[in-house]
Amino acid sequence: MALAVIRTPSLEPWKPLQRKPLPAGRPREWYVTHNRRLKAMRLAIALLDAGVYVPSKATNATIRTTAADIGIHPPSDTTCRMVRALIRYGR
């Protein structure tokens, strides 16, 4: 038997997590890839919140417009491909 649980929203405002420093001693390419993945994830979440659920609707222009809306630098073509992949495989 399934039991439905109703959660009441928290009264405290949302606070972002504390950022931790990245581990030292990795090759530069690791840091570039890591930051690109984080950016792609932020953009994919913003697009999903905006109602873009299909990768074909997430054109480079749409992704770059969303990046400007949320206040991050315009992504490269590689990052745009990563965003579409996250939308595709997140379903």
Side-chain angles (χ1 to χ4, degrees):
M1 177 165 139
L3 179 66
V5 177
I6 300 173
R7 294 181 55 186
T8 57
S10 174
L11 297 176
E12 297 178 16
W14 179 81
K15 290 185 257 183
L17 297 173
Q18 292 279 335
R19 289 192 178 190
K20 294 184 236 178
L22 293 175
R26 306 253 177 152
R28 176 171 166 63
E29 188 58 35
W30 184 89
Y31 298 104
V32 171
T33 305
H34 176 77
N35 289 328
R36 180 169 290 166
R37 285 180 186 148
L38 290 178
K39 186 179 206 175
M41 200 172 354
R42 275 189 226 110
L43 286 167
I45 290 168
L47 285 167
L48 289 170
D49 286 345
V52 178
Y53 302 113
V54 182
S56 61
K57 297 283 184 186
T59 62
N60 286 357
T62 305
I63 294 170
R64 289 187 176 118
T65 302
T66 303
D69 290 345
I70 62 174
I72 59 177
H73 289 283
S76 65
D77 291 340
T78 304
T79 306
C80 290
R81 278 194 304 274
M82 289 177 80
V83 170
R84 283 189 287 276
L86 284 170
I87 292 173
R88 180 180 308 116
Y89 295 119
R91 296 172 47 149

